[in-house]
Amino acid sequence: MDTASRPEAPGGADIPVEGMTCASCVTHVEKAIRALPGVASVAVNLATGKAHVTATDPAALAAVPDAVERAGYAVPLADADYAIEGMTCASCVAHVEKAIRSVPGVTEVSVNLATNRAHVRHRAGLAADEAVRRAVDEAGYAAMRIGDLSRSADEGPEREIQSLRTRFVVAAALALPIFVLEMGGHAYAPLHHWVASIVDGATLQTLFFVLATLSVFGPGMSFHVTGLKRLARAAPDMNSLVSIGTLAAYGYSTLSVFAPAVLPPGTANAYFEAASVVIALVLLGRWLEALSRGRASHAIRRLVNLQPPTARVYRGGALAEIPVARIAVGDRIQVRPGERIPVDGMLAEGRSNVDESMVSGEPVPVSKGPGDPVVGGTINGTGSFEFVARRVGADTLLAQIVRLVESAQAAKLPVQALVDQVTGRFVPAIFVAAFLTFAAWWYAGPDPALSYALVNAVCVLIIACPCAMGLATPISIIVSTGRAAELGVLFRRGDALQTLGSAKVVAFDKTGTLTAGKPALTDLVAVPGFVRNDVLSAAASVEALSEHPLAAAIVAAARAEEIIPGSVSGFRAEPGFGASASVAGRQVAVGAARYMVKLGVDVSALEGEAATLAGRGRTTLYVAIDGRAAALLAVADPIRPQAAAAVARLHALGLRAAMITGDNARTAAAVAREIGIDTVVAEVLPAGKLEAIRRLRAEAGPVAFVGDGINDAPALAEADAGIAMGTGTDVAIESAQVVLVTPSPAGVVRAVELSRATMRNIMQNLFWAFAYNVALVPVAAGALYPFGGPLLSPVLAAGAMALSSVFVVSNALRLRRFGQEARTNEGATA
């Protein structure tokens, strides 16, 4: 049988389907998928929650998610990261994004030139690695899936730096004799006469030809292989510009030396020095850029290297030194003075001071004793202790920080959208400009017109620098997010840098944010007929199941008085109101006054005492037992020491400070007066916090909200920039764009200042990148020559191009010094 007549083998995919609960769901999903044109077979498995689909047309597989959703079910999204090889400029980014976006199932692509990575969001079960790699390969690049282990510590960047260094050294060695003998002879006449006395012109040009050939097709070969391949695919990039420019100079020079008769009379001029020196200078720029990009990622590598390679762990009753990767949850680990803590855990025996500055940004060592948490990667002081591992591997705080920083670095800011539009058309526009330059000089230029036309066209090709435009935004994001991690500020999304920097109002939750979140019970006023200890026992029983800091104060007070809580059933928490449960057969409710109103409990007998306590800055709660008011509780939550200073710094930055809290108005006003808050919104539910944020946004502009609890999650999501305290609940952290490792209001100021510094840095980079190209491309084309201005040589054009991207990266690296003076002052004060 003729194999050419066989139909193409169908493609298959196992696609997860969410929302199926019974056999009829399976039937509905199968029916929806089977109706798609090109689907050969479909089998849906309820137990695995997946649909195995085979299709003769890849487009049919891409249509499956929409068909499933129309049937009332869903195909979840998944994320993947790829290392991309071969990208050199912003045009490459556009080409790779276009290639990956064409893969069926891909919904979102973000390619980062500074990290040479692609973040791909796709429908689960579709967009297989093989399809992505094939699409990238067909675009002229290479892609490799990045695993989860040591993602930032790979050897790829180091290999690139070493390769570029070697190629530059070889190119420089080949170009230097041509440059010295050719250009030096023009600048210094005795050198020209000395060279002419020992070697004739033809021999010298032949020597130049040999050296230039070795340079252009040796260290410069990658420009031609990559650039011409992409030019053939109608997707030219920076390599294409360098390749065409150097090949044009080299080819014209070769004809001038060996076949001058084919050129118009008087135009046979050799430019071997241009071809060879351009190769050397471009490689120098690439090498310096790679070095700078490596420094930009220094923070990530530093974080990865914080974890020690081994640890001393008790195994079989004896200490054994084992690799950190083999530590399991529950292992008991010994840490000696000066050593790094390998994983997260709970201190079990001993005491010490631990330097946590590398993950928290706080310069003062923290005292640790039995029961205190310890964090992997931090440095033990002079004491020795043992701790029990609680989180290992990818679950440690250090691993989570690395993932958050990498995620933020892969993001694109809104300002990048315009840059992408420009760079996507930049290289083709430069080719058009070079062609027009060549045509204009050949038609209207002075003799030898062909030589002028060639040199100026080559200058246009060489001087254009899309690299600087492509690096302007991502390199600043890499440096700033890495520096932020060192200061204890984690940007979960890179675009938070832009939104936080533009905020006009910073709104704080009170409890756990401006206050320490560790309140203490100060007063318990029992209603006649109720016994104080019985009320406290009932209230502590309910609050033991709550996550609110005020609940912890009540539980701690009961524990301190050795009051035993009762058995609890039917616990129910109502964010913004309170909590209730059945305790030893009695219905107990604990919460704010509005909770009592909602439950229909009369608390009028306690309102006078509540007003007095609130005026003294206390937070008041009520306890109701079996529908009757039983007691008034008063809790004091100390204000964080840095709160007033942080609010003052926000005012100095021109920001308005607000407080949005569910606490009573008197308590909120007392706290606001003490720390200098401008606007107070008190006694609001979670939904009221949303409305308060919207109102502040309408009055003043973009709003950043800082919170830490479950009841803050909606407000964190609604705000233009949500900032969560790292000690807060998982729900709050997941809703935020920025996470503070330590619960200090000073971290909010750091985050705002760094965001503004980053946006200034990005704007400087973009101004330079665009101004450079707008100003120098016309100069390279000879636009100033008719007015008595200069003409550029390709060598100068190559030097300017190399320095352009180096300038952008070097400017971004200045962000690594952000906050150093402040940190030094904090340490001195401490």
Side-chain angles (χ1 to χ4, degrees), residues 458-501:
V458 168
C459 281
V460 170
L461 292 173
I462 298 300
I463 205 168
C465 189
C467 304
M469 291 188 288
L471 286 170
T473 298
I475 199 69
S476 294
I477 295 175
I478 286 176
V479 179
S480 62
T481 51
R483 180 58 183 152
E486 294 177 339
L487 295 173
V489 179
L490 305 179
F491 286 88
R492 297 184 67 244
R493 287 169 40 188
D495 56 3
L497 282 164
Q498 185 167 342
T499 55
L500 182 56

mmCIF file of all heavy atoms in Angstrom, residues 458-501:
data_model
loop_
_atom_site.group_PDB
_atom_site.id
_atom_site.type_symbol
_atom_site.label_atom_id
_atom_site.label_comp_id
_atom_site.label_asym_id
_atom_site.label_seq_id
_atom_site.Cartn_x
_atom_site.Cartn_y
_atom_site.Cartn_z
ATOM 1 N N VAL A 458 24.808 50.785 5.473
ATOM 2 C CA VAL A 458 25.335 49.883 6.500
ATOM 3 C C VAL A 458 25.252 50.551 7.877
ATOM 4 O O VAL A 458 24.906 49.918 8.878
ATOM 5 C CB VAL A 458 26.783 49.473 6.175
ATOM 6 C CG1 VAL A 458 27.437 48.786 7.379
ATOM 7 C CG2 VAL A 458 26.815 48.553 4.964
ATOM 8 N N CYS A 459 25.561 51.843 7.952
ATOM 9 C CA CYS A 459 25.470 52.566 9.230
ATOM 10 C C CYS A 459 24.048 52.526 9.787
ATOM 11 O O CYS A 459 23.850 52.343 10.998
ATOM 12 C CB CYS A 459 25.903 54.025 9.043
ATOM 13 S SG CYS A 459 27.684 54.235 8.997
ATOM 14 N N VAL A 460 23.053 52.691 8.919
ATOM 15 C CA VAL A 460 21.664 52.641 9.373
ATOM 16 C C VAL A 460 21.331 51.266 9.933
ATOM 17 O O VAL A 460 20.700 51.141 10.992
ATOM 18 C CB VAL A 460 20.702 53.000 8.219
ATOM 19 C CG1 VAL A 460 19.252 52.717 8.614
ATOM 20 C CG2 VAL A 460 20.857 54.453 7.829
ATOM 21 N N LEU A 461 21.778 50.215 9.239
ATOM 22 C CA LEU A 461 21.506 48.859 9.708
ATOM 23 C C LEU A 461 22.184 48.580 11.049
ATOM 24 O O LEU A 461 21.599 47.950 11.933
ATOM 25 C CB LEU A 461 21.988 47.834 8.674
ATOM 26 C CG LEU A 461 21.231 47.785 7.348
ATOM 27 C CD1 LEU A 461 21.934 46.858 6.373
ATOM 28 C CD2 LEU A 461 19.794 47.326 7.567
ATOM 29 N N ILE A 462 23.403 49.065 11.199
ATOM 30 C CA ILE A 462 24.189 48.730 12.385
ATOM 31 C C ILE A 462 23.787 49.556 13.604
ATOM 32 O O ILE A 462 23.730 49.063 14.733
ATOM 33 C CB ILE A 462 25.698 48.917 12.103
ATOM 34 C CG1 ILE A 462 26.151 47.971 10.992
ATOM 35 C CG2 ILE A 462 26.514 48.693 13.365
ATOM 36 C CD1 ILE A 462 25.945 46.513 11.297
ATOM 37 N N ILE A 463 23.486 50.836 13.403
ATOM 38 C CA ILE A 463 23.260 51.718 14.547
ATOM 39 C C ILE A 463 21.896 51.493 15.202
ATOM 40 O O ILE A 463 21.715 51.769 16.383
ATOM 41 C CB ILE A 463 23.409 53.201 14.133
ATOM 42 C CG1 ILE A 463 23.783 54.052 15.361
ATOM 43 C CG2 ILE A 463 22.128 53.734 13.472
ATOM 44 C CD1 ILE A 463 24.230 55.451 15.017
ATOM 45 N N ALA A 464 20.924 50.982 14.437
ATOM 46 C CA ALA A 464 19.594 50.752 14.990
ATOM 47 C C ALA A 464 19.673 49.745 16.134
ATOM 48 O O ALA A 464 20.362 48.731 16.032
ATOM 49 C CB ALA A 464 18.652 50.240 13.907
ATOM 50 N N CYS A 465 18.981 50.019 17.227
ATOM 51 C CA CYS A 465 19.107 49.165 18.413
ATOM 52 C C CYS A 465 17.747 48.830 19.026
ATOM 53 O O CYS A 465 17.293 49.505 19.951
ATOM 54 C CB CYS A 465 20.001 49.831 19.453
ATOM 55 S SG CYS A 465 20.401 48.730 20.827
ATOM 56 N N PRO A 466 17.079 47.794 18.522
ATOM 57 C CA PRO A 466 15.840 47.359 19.163
ATOM 58 C C PRO A 466 16.097 46.697 20.511
ATOM 59 O O PRO A 466 15.185 46.551 21.317
ATOM 60 C CB PRO A 466 15.254 46.360 18.157
ATOM 61 C CG PRO A 466 16.434 45.866 17.387
ATOM 62 C CD PRO A 466 17.396 47.010 17.305
ATOM 63 N N CYS A 467 17.356 46.279 20.766
ATOM 64 C CA CYS A 467 17.667 45.635 22.051
ATOM 65 C C CYS A 467 17.329 46.565 23.211
ATOM 66 O O CYS A 467 16.748 46.150 24.207
ATOM 67 C CB CYS A 467 19.146 45.266 22.128
ATOM 68 S SG CYS A 467 19.703 44.216 20.785
ATOM 69 N N ALA A 468 17.750 47.830 23.088
ATOM 70 C CA ALA A 468 17.523 48.781 24.179
ATOM 71 C C ALA A 468 16.031 48.942 24.452
ATOM 72 O O ALA A 468 15.603 49.012 25.611
ATOM 73 C CB ALA A 468 18.155 50.123 23.835
ATOM 74 N N MET A 469 15.222 48.995 23.400
ATOM 75 C CA MET A 469 13.775 49.140 23.593
ATOM 76 C C MET A 469 13.182 47.900 24.244
ATOM 77 O O MET A 469 12.304 47.992 25.106
ATOM 78 C CB MET A 469 13.099 49.413 22.249
ATOM 79 C CG MET A 469 13.431 50.785 21.676
ATOM 80 S SD MET A 469 12.454 51.192 20.211
ATOM 81 C CE MET A 469 13.169 50.100 19.008
ATOM 82 N N GLY A 470 13.670 46.737 23.849
ATOM 83 C CA GLY A 470 13.138 45.501 24.412
ATOM 84 C C GLY A 470 13.523 45.280 25.858
ATOM 85 O O GLY A 470 12.786 44.653 26.619
ATOM 86 N N LEU A 471 14.700 45.797 26.251
ATOM 87 C CA LEU A 471 15.182 45.589 27.620
ATOM 88 C C LEU A 471 14.701 46.663 28.583
ATOM 89 O O LEU A 471 14.779 46.476 29.805
ATOM 90 C CB LEU A 471 16.714 45.564 27.629
ATOM 91 C CG LEU A 471 17.383 44.315 27.064
ATOM 92 C CD1 LEU A 471 18.879 44.550 26.920
ATOM 93 C CD2 LEU A 471 17.129 43.103 27.946
ATOM 94 N N ALA A 472 14.239 47.793 28.081
ATOM 95 C CA ALA A 472 13.967 48.961 28.925
ATOM 96 C C ALA A 472 13.046 48.642 30.101
ATOM 97 O O ALA A 472 13.314 49.042 31.236
ATOM 98 C CB ALA A 472 13.357 50.081 28.078
ATOM 99 N N THR A 473 11.976 47.912 29.852
ATOM 100 C CA THR A 473 11.024 47.601 30.922
ATOM 101 C C THR A 473 11.394 46.340 31.703
ATOM 102 O O THR A 473 11.492 46.375 32.930
ATOM 103 C CB THR A 473 9.599 47.478 30.349
ATOM 104 O OG1 THR A 473 9.228 48.730 29.775
ATOM 105 C CG2 THR A 473 8.607 47.124 31.438
ATOM 106 N N PRO A 474 11.626 45.188 31.038
ATOM 107 C CA PRO A 474 11.849 43.963 31.823
ATOM 108 C C PRO A 474 13.091 43.985 32.692
ATOM 109 O O PRO A 474 13.091 43.399 33.784
ATOM 110 C CB PRO A 474 11.944 42.865 30.751
ATOM 111 C CG PRO A 474 12.244 43.564 29.479
ATOM 112 C CD PRO A 474 11.590 44.905 29.593
ATOM 113 N N ILE A 475 14.158 44.640 32.259
ATOM 114 C CA ILE A 475 15.377 44.623 33.073
ATOM 115 C C ILE A 475 15.165 45.403 34.364
ATOM 116 O O ILE A 475 15.673 45.035 35.431
ATOM 117 C CB ILE A 475 16.578 45.184 32.266
ATOM 118 C CG1 ILE A 475 17.894 44.740 32.898
ATOM 119 C CG2 ILE A 475 16.530 46.696 32.153
ATOM 120 C CD1 ILE A 475 18.174 43.288 32.784
ATOM 121 N N SER A 476 14.372 46.479 34.303
ATOM 122 C CA SER A 476 14.070 47.233 35.526
ATOM 123 C C SER A 476 13.183 46.419 36.460
ATOM 124 O O SER A 476 13.341 46.469 37.690
ATOM 125 C CB SER A 476 13.382 48.559 35.174
ATOM 126 O OG SER A 476 14.251 49.414 34.459
ATOM 127 N N ILE A 477 12.240 45.662 35.899
ATOM 128 C CA ILE A 477 11.379 44.813 36.721
ATOM 129 C C ILE A 477 12.206 43.748 37.431
ATOM 130 O O ILE A 477 12.014 43.479 38.623
ATOM 131 C CB ILE A 477 10.289 44.153 35.854
ATOM 132 C CG1 ILE A 477 9.337 45.215 35.292
ATOM 133 C CG2 ILE A 477 9.502 43.124 36.662
ATOM 134 C CD1 ILE A 477 8.312 44.651 34.338
ATOM 135 N N ILE A 478 13.142 43.142 36.715
ATOM 136 C CA ILE A 478 13.974 42.097 37.310
ATOM 137 C C ILE A 478 14.759 42.642 38.497
ATOM 138 O O ILE A 478 14.783 42.060 39.585
ATOM 139 C CB ILE A 478 14.935 41.514 36.259
ATOM 140 C CG1 ILE A 478 14.172 40.625 35.290
ATOM 141 C CG2 ILE A 478 16.046 40.704 36.920
ATOM 142 C CD1 ILE A 478 15.017 40.091 34.173
ATOM 143 N N VAL A 479 15.412 43.788 38.297
ATOM 144 C CA VAL A 479 16.246 44.352 39.363
ATOM 145 C C VAL A 479 15.385 44.777 40.549
ATOM 146 O O VAL A 479 15.700 44.484 41.708
ATOM 147 C CB VAL A 479 17.074 45.544 38.841
ATOM 148 C CG1 VAL A 479 17.926 46.136 39.965
ATOM 149 C CG2 VAL A 479 17.976 45.108 37.699
ATOM 150 N N SER A 480 14.284 45.463 40.271
ATOM 151 C CA SER A 480 13.473 46.019 41.365
ATOM 152 C C SER A 480 12.756 44.931 42.157
ATOM 153 O O SER A 480 12.690 45.001 43.390
ATOM 154 C CB SER A 480 12.464 47.033 40.822
ATOM 155 O OG SER A 480 11.574 46.420 39.922
ATOM 156 N N THR A 481 12.217 43.914 41.500
ATOM 157 C CA THR A 481 11.537 42.855 42.235
ATOM 158 C C THR A 481 12.534 42.031 43.045
ATOM 159 O O THR A 481 12.215 41.573 44.152
ATOM 160 C CB THR A 481 10.742 41.932 41.298
ATOM 161 O OG1 THR A 481 11.593 41.484 40.225
ATOM 162 C CG2 THR A 481 9.544 42.653 40.714
ATOM 163 N N GLY A 482 13.740 41.839 42.507
ATOM 164 C CA GLY A 482 14.775 41.158 43.274
ATOM 165 C C GLY A 482 15.188 41.965 44.492
ATOM 166 O O GLY A 482 15.333 41.425 45.603
ATOM 167 N N ARG A 483 15.374 43.274 44.305
ATOM 168 C CA ARG A 483 15.732 44.133 45.434
ATOM 169 C C ARG A 483 14.593 44.186 46.443
ATOM 170 O O ARG A 483 14.828 44.184 47.664
ATOM 171 C CB ARG A 483 16.050 45.541 44.924
ATOM 172 C CG ARG A 483 16.438 46.550 46.006
ATOM 173 C CD ARG A 483 17.643 46.080 46.785
ATOM 174 N NE ARG A 483 17.989 46.983 47.869
ATOM 175 C CZ ARG A 483 18.593 46.602 48.985
ATOM 176 N NH1 ARG A 483 18.920 45.329 49.160
ATOM 177 N NH2 ARG A 483 18.877 47.485 49.932
ATOM 178 N N ALA A 484 13.361 44.217 45.962
ATOM 179 C CA ALA A 484 12.210 44.235 46.862
ATOM 180 C C ALA A 484 12.203 42.983 47.737
ATOM 181 O O ALA A 484 11.920 43.055 48.942
ATOM 182 C CB ALA A 484 10.914 44.335 46.061
ATOM 183 N N ALA A 485 12.509 41.823 47.156
ATOM 184 C CA ALA A 485 12.543 40.584 47.932
ATOM 185 C C ALA A 485 13.578 40.673 49.039
ATOM 186 O O ALA A 485 13.359 40.186 50.156
ATOM 187 C CB ALA A 485 12.839 39.398 47.017
ATOM 188 N N GLU A 486 14.714 41.287 48.755
ATOM 189 C CA GLU A 486 15.740 41.456 49.782
ATOM 190 C C GLU A 486 15.263 42.371 50.909
ATOM 191 O O GLU A 486 15.716 42.259 52.043
ATOM 192 C CB GLU A 486 17.016 42.030 49.158
ATOM 193 C CG GLU A 486 17.690 41.080 48.179
ATOM 194 C CD GLU A 486 18.903 41.693 47.507
ATOM 195 O OE1 GLU A 486 19.001 42.933 47.470
ATOM 196 O OE2 GLU A 486 19.753 40.930 47.023
ATOM 197 N N LEU A 487 14.345 43.271 50.599
ATOM 198 C CA LEU A 487 13.815 44.204 51.597
ATOM 199 C C LEU A 487 12.543 43.687 52.261
ATOM 200 O O LEU A 487 11.899 44.401 53.023
ATOM 201 C CB LEU A 487 13.537 45.565 50.945
ATOM 202 C CG LEU A 487 14.756 46.314 50.416
ATOM 203 C CD1 LEU A 487 14.326 47.553 49.658
ATOM 204 C CD2 LEU A 487 15.695 46.695 51.554
ATOM 205 N N GLY A 488 12.153 42.448 51.929
ATOM 206 C CA GLY A 488 10.963 41.878 52.547
ATOM 207 C C GLY A 488 9.664 42.273 51.892
ATOM 208 O O GLY A 488 8.599 42.159 52.492
ATOM 209 N N VAL A 489 9.721 42.727 50.631
ATOM 210 C CA VAL A 489 8.526 43.102 49.878
ATOM 211 C C VAL A 489 8.431 42.188 48.659
ATOM 212 O O VAL A 489 9.338 42.184 47.824
ATOM 213 C CB VAL A 489 8.567 44.572 49.425
ATOM 214 C CG1 VAL A 489 7.325 44.924 48.617
ATOM 215 C CG2 VAL A 489 8.703 45.497 50.628
ATOM 216 N N LEU A 490 7.364 41.424 48.562
ATOM 217 C CA LEU A 490 7.212 40.466 47.467
ATOM 218 C C LEU A 490 6.087 40.917 46.537
ATOM 219 O O LEU A 490 4.941 41.046 46.963
ATOM 220 C CB LEU A 490 6.888 39.074 48.013
ATOM 221 C CG LEU A 490 7.882 38.510 49.037
ATOM 222 C CD1 LEU A 490 7.422 37.147 49.511
ATOM 223 C CD2 LEU A 490 9.282 38.439 48.456
ATOM 224 N N PHE A 491 6.440 41.172 45.285
ATOM 225 C CA PHE A 491 5.437 41.533 44.284
ATOM 226 C C PHE A 491 4.936 40.242 43.644
ATOM 227 O O PHE A 491 5.678 39.569 42.918
ATOM 228 C CB PHE A 491 6.033 42.473 43.234
ATOM 229 C CG PHE A 491 6.248 43.870 43.732
ATOM 230 C CD1 PHE A 491 7.431 44.228 44.361
ATOM 231 C CD2 PHE A 491 5.264 44.828 43.593
ATOM 232 C CE1 PHE A 491 7.636 45.510 44.837
ATOM 233 C CE2 PHE A 491 5.447 46.115 44.068
ATOM 234 C CZ PHE A 491 6.638 46.453 44.694
ATOM 235 N N ARG A 492 3.688 39.881 43.942
ATOM 236 C CA ARG A 492 3.125 38.655 43.366
ATOM 237 C C ARG A 492 2.832 38.852 41.884
ATOM 238 O O ARG A 492 2.799 37.885 41.127
ATOM 239 C CB ARG A 492 1.834 38.253 44.093
ATOM 240 C CG ARG A 492 2.054 37.915 45.563
ATOM 241 C CD ARG A 492 0.785 37.422 46.227
ATOM 242 N NE ARG A 492 0.386 36.135 45.691
ATOM 243 C CZ ARG A 492 -0.733 35.915 45.019
ATOM 244 N NH1 ARG A 492 -1.579 36.905 44.812
ATOM 245 N NH2 ARG A 492 -1.037 34.725 44.584
ATOM 246 N N ARG A 493 2.607 40.087 41.481
ATOM 247 C CA ARG A 493 2.368 40.408 40.071
ATOM 248 C C ARG A 493 3.234 41.599 39.702
ATOM 249 O O ARG A 493 3.277 42.602 40.419
ATOM 250 C CB ARG A 493 0.894 40.733 39.834
ATOM 251 C CG ARG A 493 -0.008 39.521 39.878
ATOM 252 C CD ARG A 493 -1.473 39.912 39.905
ATOM 253 N NE ARG A 493 -1.799 41.019 39.036
ATOM 254 C CZ ARG A 493 -2.988 41.624 39.022
ATOM 255 N NH1 ARG A 493 -3.930 41.234 39.858
ATOM 256 N NH2 ARG A 493 -3.233 42.632 38.213
ATOM 257 N N GLY A 494 3.946 41.476 38.574
ATOM 258 C CA GLY A 494 4.843 42.550 38.172
ATOM 259 C C GLY A 494 4.131 43.858 37.900
ATOM 260 O O GLY A 494 4.690 44.941 38.143
ATOM 261 N N ASP A 495 2.865 43.800 37.399
ATOM 262 C CA ASP A 495 2.180 45.047 37.066
ATOM 263 C C ASP A 495 1.816 45.847 38.316
ATOM 264 O O ASP A 495 1.444 47.019 38.218
ATOM 265 C CB ASP A 495 0.928 44.788 36.216
ATOM 266 C CG ASP A 495 -0.049 43.819 36.874
ATOM 267 O OD1 ASP A 495 0.216 43.390 38.018
ATOM 268 O OD2 ASP A 495 -1.060 43.489 36.238
ATOM 269 N N ALA A 496 1.942 45.226 39.510
ATOM 270 C CA ALA A 496 1.705 45.977 40.740
ATOM 271 C C ALA A 496 2.734 47.094 40.901
ATOM 272 O O ALA A 496 2.474 48.083 41.588
ATOM 273 C CB ALA A 496 1.758 45.048 41.949
ATOM 274 N N LEU A 497 3.893 46.957 40.277
ATOM 275 C CA LEU A 497 4.896 48.022 40.323
ATOM 276 C C LEU A 497 4.335 49.312 39.753
ATOM 277 O O LEU A 497 4.585 50.402 40.278
ATOM 278 C CB LEU A 497 6.144 47.612 39.545
ATOM 279 C CG LEU A 497 7.098 46.637 40.238
ATOM 280 C CD1 LEU A 497 8.042 46.023 39.218
ATOM 281 C CD2 LEU A 497 7.855 47.335 41.344
ATOM 282 N N GLN A 498 3.579 49.202 38.666
ATOM 283 C CA GLN A 498 3.022 50.395 38.040
ATOM 284 C C GLN A 498 1.793 50.899 38.789
ATOM 285 O O GLN A 498 1.659 52.102 39.026
ATOM 286 C CB GLN A 498 2.665 50.107 36.576
ATOM 287 C CG GLN A 498 2.188 51.336 35.821
ATOM 288 C CD GLN A 498 2.136 51.119 34.314
ATOM 289 O OE1 GLN A 498 2.737 50.203 33.778
ATOM 290 N NE2 GLN A 498 1.419 51.972 33.612
ATOM 291 N N THR A 499 0.901 49.989 39.198
ATOM 292 C CA THR A 499 -0.327 50.426 39.866
ATOM 293 C C THR A 499 -0.037 51.003 41.253
ATOM 294 O O THR A 499 -0.633 52.008 41.644
ATOM 295 C CB THR A 499 -1.319 49.262 39.987
ATOM 296 O OG1 THR A 499 -0.683 48.157 40.638
ATOM 297 C CG2 THR A 499 -1.790 48.811 38.613
ATOM 298 N N LEU A 500 0.883 50.379 41.991
ATOM 299 C CA LEU A 500 1.205 50.894 43.321
ATOM 300 C C LEU A 500 1.918 52.236 43.228
ATOM 301 O O LEU A 500 1.676 53.132 44.039
ATOM 302 C CB LEU A 500 2.081 49.888 44.078
ATOM 303 C CG LEU A 500 2.471 50.260 45.514
ATOM 304 C CD1 LEU A 500 1.233 50.523 46.354
ATOM 305 C CD2 LEU A 500 3.314 49.155 46.139
ATOM 306 N N GLY A 501 2.770 52.379 42.232
ATOM 307 C CA GLY A 501 3.483 53.646 42.069
ATOM 308 C C GLY A 501 2.573 54.805 41.734
ATOM 309 O O GLY A 501 2.907 55.964 42.008
#
